[in-house]
Amino acid sequence: MLTGKNILLGICGGIAAYKTPHLVRLLKKSGANVQVVATKSALKFVSELSLATVSRAPVLGDMFSEDSPGEGDRTLHITLGEWADAFVIAPATANTIARLSAGLCDDMLSVCFITLRPEKPVLVVPAMDGYMYESPSVRRNLSVLATQGCSILEPESGDLASGQCGLGRMPEPETIVETLADMLEPAPESLLKGKKVLITAGPTREKIDDVRFLSNYSSGKMGFAIAAAAARRGAIVRLVTGPVSLNTPAGVERIDVESAMEMMEASRRFFDDCDLFIGAAAVADYRPEQPVEGKLKKSGAAMDIRLVRNPDILAEFSAGRKQGQISVGFALETAGGIGYAREKLENKKLDLVAFNVYDRSTSGFEVDTNVLTLLDRAGNVSELPLLSKDAAAGRLLDAIEPLLYR
Ligand code: PMT
């Protein structure tokens, strides 16, 4: 699977490090050349001799030690960044994740992270106690790494070294090798090439009066990332967007709108002419029935504003679509709620729905990352890891492409 690939394996000081000689053996068995870079504390959990023996190369760690292997080549930290086809950091501890997200480079592992060529993939495999993993600082730091383009392989649930049972276990080395092999597989020619794709993005604004509106926190980042990814794959992309402050992705035709009614009108113009419709916008379900001209004046202690339903753009597309057109929606909840996503798949007659949770730090509105679960009509459920919105957009399109040629 990894024949001839040069893999840099970063090992940090966590109990899961005891699994890394096996990980090295699997990588070697898959045909990879492996260079281990270990933090000081990693070598308290796993022996340098074991790692050097299975990798058939000296273990690198301290940049300045006189007797450190590689001594004599003072630019090894730079050349390794060139040599590596991918960098896997497993287990990645809270401490190393924090150091990497802050851009520190005070040992071989962190320097190699910085010198790795930007187009080379990085797979971060966090493993730690469940409470540490769920802590806001670890979540924030992982989200920074995901935004930088790192893929995060989420830990598994099970018995932890603390004696507790929960999320935090490092996935088995077999899973890590498979994930890495997927990441290094060359992308096939895209099935989206030449297809017409219509995407909605961003929030809508529903006027209360001439100076106020009802809206939501959507930034448009998810929809714009999908538009950019589809255009890169050769699709002809139209992007109908609510008010956002984002640049138009290269090769994308952008139509700016404000309200749900305007978004509906603009989308309708292109319904018949598209092969694929993706509703990533957070469209207001209701609008004030009678927006006031000018500025609404203060009156009593309370005020009633009567709201009326907005049309459902995605549902209308699905209901009237011609044969072969594909309809994809998003479902956003504030907690749990995958059942609602299934309902949307059914009720809006979608081919696929991307479920995401708004957690204010890593997924949903505004942030640069997202955690999507993809559900299709055949009953397939695919839980994607925490990814940058760009990477999540790519994975979403990967799931959509086969649907275009059913
Ligand atoms: O823009 P970002 O800050 O990057 O955030 C991304 C996002 C959270 C907005 C995006 O990932 C997302 O989940 N978009 C859909 C949010 C939403 O409003 O979900 P919903 O469950 O209310 O709607 C379900 C689906 O129907 C969506 O595809 C929506 O676009 C569509 N819809 C809803 C109402 C309506 N009147 N017309 C629609 O087309």
Side-chain angles (χ1 to χ4, degrees):
M1 286 194 290
L2 294 168
T3 309
K5 296 290 181 200
N6 296 331
I7 307 300
L8 207 48
L9 173 62
I11 304 177
C12 312
I15 185 66
Y18 82 89
K19 293 183 181 174
T20 53
H22 181 46
L23 175 58
V24 174
R25 280 200 57 226
L26 288 179
L27 289 168
K28 297 285 287 183
K29 228 170 134 184
S30 302
N33 308 307
V34 182
Q35 175 60 64
V36 174
V37 280
T39 63
K40 243 188 207 158
S41 36
L43 299 180
K44 294 195 189 293
F45 290 90
V46 58
S47 103
E48 186 171 348
L49 183 60
S50 307
L51 291 167
T53 307
V54 286
S55 67
R56 295 196 206 108
V59 173
L60 305 177
D62 186 355
M63 298 206 28
F64 301 109
S65 157
E66 283 308 309
D67 51 23
S68 118
E71 205 268 321
D73 180 358
R74 288 295 175 208
T75 56
L76 192 60
H77 58 292
I78 312 275
T79 44
L80 277 175
E82 172 107 49
W83 170 85
D85 292 307
F87 194 179
V88 183
I89 304 169
T93 54
N95 181 44
T96 294
I97 291 167
R99 287 169 50 242
L100 299 184
S101 73
L104 299 184
C105 38
D106 52 2
D107 64 3
M108 200 58 150
L109 191 155
S110 50
V111 178
C112 286
F113 181 75
I114 302 258
T115 59
L116 189 77
R117 297 304 178 263
E119 70 282 5
K120 301 296 169 65
V122 179
L123 179 62
V124 179
V125 190
M128 61 195 76
D129 178 70
Y131 285 110
M132 285 174 86
Y133 184 67
E134 298 291 357
S135 75
S137 42
V138 169
R139 306 305 303 166
R140 182 196 59 226
N141 294 333
L142 279 172
S143 138
V144 170
L145 293 182
T147 306
Q148 285 176 218
C150 300
S151 296
I152 315 290
L153 182 59
E154 297 279 327
E156 294 176 352
S157 279
D159 293 331
L160 302 170
S162 59
Q164 296 179 348
C165 187
L167 196 65
R169 279 169 67 90
M170 186 171 89
E172 291 306 320
E174 286 77 2
T175 310
I176 298 173
V177 173
E178 274 167 31
T179 309
L180 180 66
D182 281 353
M183 287 167 64
L184 287 171
E185 202 172 304
E189 168 88 348
S190 175
L191 299 173
L192 276 167
K193 197 165 177 188
K195 294 284 174 200
K196 292 185 177 155
V197 182
L198 176 60
I199 300 168
T200 62
T204 61
R205 286 182 182 172
E206 309 301 327
K207 272 175 89 164
I208 297 172
D209 62 14
D210 282 345
V211 294
R212 305 180 183 95
F213 53 82
L214 296 175
S215 192
N216 58 63
Y217 293 111
S218 172
S219 62
K221 287 177 187 170
M222 191 67 243
F224 274 58
I226 299 168
R232 278 196 301 273
R233 292 179 188 210
I236 300 155
V237 183
R238 286 187 175 120
L239 176 64
V240 180
T241 178
V244 297
S245 32
L246 296 173
N247 294 326
T248 311
V252 169
E253 182 186 346
R254 170 176 177 164
I255 299 104
D256 285 294
V257 296
E258 200 161 300
S259 65
M261 294 300 278
E262 287 173 18
M263 188 171 272
M264 174 59 120
E265 283 313 309
S267 302
R268 262 185 198 148
R269 290 210 304 275
F270 305 113
F271 273 172
D272 287 349
D273 190 32
C274 76
D275 300 298
L276 164 64
F277 179 80
I278 304 177
V283 188
D285 290 321
Y286 292 89
R287 66 179 186 278
E289 185 175 35
Q290 203 55 66
V292 171
E293 264 182 45
K295 189 178 168 201
L296 192 59
K297 295 283 173 286
K298 272 198 290 283
S299 51
M303 174 186 284
D304 292 324
I305 298 177
R306 188 177 153 77
L307 303 178
V308 292
R309 268 303 271 274
N310 271 326
D312 191 308
I313 306 169
L314 187 57
E316 182 173 313
F317 171 77
S318 292
R321 69 187 148 137
K322 296 182 300 186
Q323 204 144 30
Q325 289 181 304
I326 297 296
S327 175
V328 174
F330 272 78
L332 178 81
E333 299 298 335
T334 47
I338 197 154
Y340 293 117
R342 284 207 173 86
E343 273 175 27
K344 277 174 188 149
L345 186 71
E346 283 306 317
N347 297 344
K348 301 197 186 200
K349 298 187 176 56
L350 307 178
D351 294 287
L352 188 142
V353 66
F355 169 64
N356 49 183
V357 170
Y358 179 38
D359 69 0
R360 290 169 191 275
S361 61
T362 58
S363 68
F365 290 130
E366 285 186 305
V367 290
D368 293 322
T369 52
N370 214 350
V371 181
L372 299 181
T373 300
L374 309 180
L375 299 95
D376 70 17
R377 293 202 77 74
N380 299 312
V381 178
S382 168
E383 288 182 25
L384 303 186
L386 172 72
L387 294 169
S388 64
K389 282 186 174 163
D390 289 337
R395 298 286 289 270
L396 174 68
L397 294 181
D398 289 345
I400 293 172
E401 283 197 17
L403 304 177
L404 287 162
Y405 287 88
R406 277 173 316 187

